[in-house]
Amino acid sequence: MSELAERLAAVRTGISDAATAAGRSPEELTTIVVTKFHPASLVRELFELGVRDVGENRHQEAQAKAAELAEPELRWHFVGQLQSKKARQVRAYASVIHSIDRTALVDVLRSEETSVDCFVQLNLTDDPGRGGVAPTELEPLVEHVLATPGLRLLGLMAVAPLDEPARPAFARMRELSERVQRLAPEAGALSMGMSHDYADAIAEGATHLRIGTAITGNRPDRG
């Protein structure tokens, strides 16, 4: 078994154990393997190991990998900050966009022809420089997404703050999700939890985990 296969198996076991501890089924969870800075060959190996959901946070890199692999069963998740000028290009290959955080971006992603799944990204910190919409502005943005053709809202996404325990932040996400579901009952998904905190995320209701180094190993030297 390759090191990649061993790491993938270990994380899958960890996810299953965390789900069981939370009284949930592992089947409720989608694991997105974040492959930024890794070559397309690693994504191909992951695919051969049964992975179907991969995440990228840089458009140029994601676009090149998606073009090189061109595997219809592979779902590309864009999980990074998205510039409005790149949004329509990202839409062309991404199955899911996790970082909707402003009305201008929603407007650029509008389409009468095709639909793309998306999450509204929340900023759980007091730093406006971090990606995501402030909780106080959540409902207006959600309403704008719901009113825009070509976008299907799955739920909310966030990165846990670095300066506080993850579990309380994820609990806030769960509460904010309840607000969203008053507007869109079907939009109850929660994209939260990374390599170091996915167990806490699962305990608080995560449905989509974004896991990188715990599966892929350290990023290659980009020297």
Side-chain angles (χ1 to χ4, degrees):
M1 184 184 289
S2 69
E3 289 184 8
L4 181 63
E6 288 175 357
R7 289 191 297 265
L8 178 61
V11 169
R12 283 174 167 164
T13 298
I15 290 170
S16 179
D17 291 347
T20 301
R24 302 179 61 195
S25 167
E27 303 301 317
E28 300 173 24
L29 299 160
T30 298
T31 301
I32 300 155
V33 183
V34 180
T35 53
K36 62 183 178 183
F37 303 143
H38 289 277
S41 58
L42 181 129
V43 181
R44 171 63 66 188
E45 188 177 350
L46 286 166
F47 184 82
E48 291 168 355
L49 292 168
V51 170
R52 294 296 178 268
D53 294 273
V54 294
E56 292 284 336
N57 71 344
R58 296 167 72 250
H59 161 61
Q60 194 168 353
E61 183 180 349
Q63 185 181 51
K65 288 180 190 174
E68 181 175 342
L69 294 168
E71 176 53 68
E73 290 184 42
L74 205 52
R75 290 181 292 272
W76 295 90
H77 296 250
F78 192 84
V79 300
Q81 293 308 113
L82 182 53
Q83 297 176 350
S84 296
K85 64 182 180 181
K86 302 285 180 63
R88 295 201 70 80
Q89 296 176 60
V90 169
R91 188 193 169 99
Y93 60 80
S95 298
V96 190
I97 297 172
H98 289 243
S99 46
I100 304 292
D101 62 359
R102 59 197 186 278
T103 56
L105 182 56
V106 175
D107 292 339
V108 174
L109 289 168
R110 177 189 181 101
S111 173
E112 301 287 349
E113 288 81 41
T114 60
S115 183
V116 66
D117 290 343
C118 67
F119 289 86
V120 164
Q121 182 177 357
L122 271 167
N123 184 351
L124 297 177
T125 75
D126 295 326
D127 178 4
R130 293 285 296 270
V133 64
T136 54
E137 300 168 14
L138 174 60
E139 279 89 350
L141 182 57
V142 166
E143 289 173 341
H144 195 61
V145 172
L146 296 174
T148 300
L151 293 176
R152 188 170 81 96
L153 182 65
L154 299 184
L156 296 179
M157 180 275 242
V159 178
L162 297 174
D163 56 354
E164 66 172 282
R167 181 87 184 252
F170 293 147
R172 294 204 305 276
M173 277 283 285
R174 182 167 43 79
E175 293 166 2
L176 290 162
S177 175
E178 292 168 4
R179 283 168 42 182
V180 170
Q181 288 176 79
R182 294 190 197 110
L183 299 171
E186 71 284 358
L190 286 170
S191 171
M192 61 188 193
M194 299 164 69
S195 291
H196 58 288
D197 57 20
Y198 68 78
D200 284 335
I202 291 169
E204 293 296 341
T207 59
H208 293 67
L209 310 170
R210 308 182 309 274
I211 299 181
T213 53
I215 293 173
T216 62
N218 292 330
R219 298 170 187 166
D221 182 4
R222 304 176 72 229

